[in-house]
Amino acid sequence: MRHTRRLLTAMTLLGMLVTVPPSALAAGGRTEMQSYFQSTMQNKAYQDKTFARVAKNWRQPPAKQLPAPGKKTVVQTVIGKDGKLLSAKISLESGSPAWDAAVLGAIKKSAPFEPLPPDYGYPTVEVHFHVAWVASP
């Protein structure tokens, strides 16, 4: 797995490539998932665990229901101090209803998340999950 971490203006990026089944490779692409945490969440271990939990629950739709290469779904979430998923909404659709539903489903299935770290001084954290279908080179 590849981790990428960059500090953005308001969010922190934690990205990983998610392993895809052989049938997806036959469809000419791969799944790429990234998560962006609001900048107040600096705990890398918490970010990694949250991302891994969603990645573990990811189930890709059948090849005929994949979005066009380069398209992605973005889901904005809010996680409470106790780890409960307070909200999850699709803010960018991929053009494939099945793909969008799979992304939202992976996030909801991952809840509840671990409680926010004790030293985190805010009652919630916002996390954006980006899941894209990327064409194979």
Side-chain angles (χ1 to χ4, degrees), residues 10-29:
M11 307 293 274
T12 301
L13 164 67
L14 173 66
M16 248 188 253
L17 295 182
V18 178
T19 305
V20 296
S23 61
L25 297 176

Side-chain angles (χ1 to χ4, degrees), residues 39-117:
S39 61
T40 55
M41 173 53 75
Q42 296 294 311
N43 187 311
K44 184 171 176 356
Y46 185 83
Q47 293 177 18
D48 289 346
K49 287 177 187 176
T50 302
F51 179 91
R53 192 174 190 117
V54 174
K56 178 182 171 189
N57 286 307
W58 168 247
R59 300 295 177 265
Q60 183 173 293
K64 65 182 179 178
Q65 295 178 317
L66 297 174
K71 295 293 184 174
K72 70 179 174 181
T73 301
V74 176
V75 176
Q76 296 177 332
T77 67
V78 177
I79 300 171
K81 192 94 171 150
D82 59 0
K84 286 184 183 172
L85 183 62
L86 301 178
S87 68
K89 65 179 181 176
I90 296 173
S91 62
L92 178 66
E93 295 177 348
S94 68
S96 166
W99 183 271
D100 297 342
V103 175
L104 189 58
I107 293 165
K108 288 182 175 182
K109 187 175 181 181
S110 299
F113 296 92
E114 288 193 14
L116 299 179

Side-chain angles (χ1 to χ4, degrees), residues 112-132:
F113 296 92
E114 288 193 14
L116 299 179
D119 61 343
Y120 184 68
Y122 300 89
T124 63
V125 66
E126 186 171 341
V127 186
H128 296 188
F129 291 93
H130 294 218
V131 184

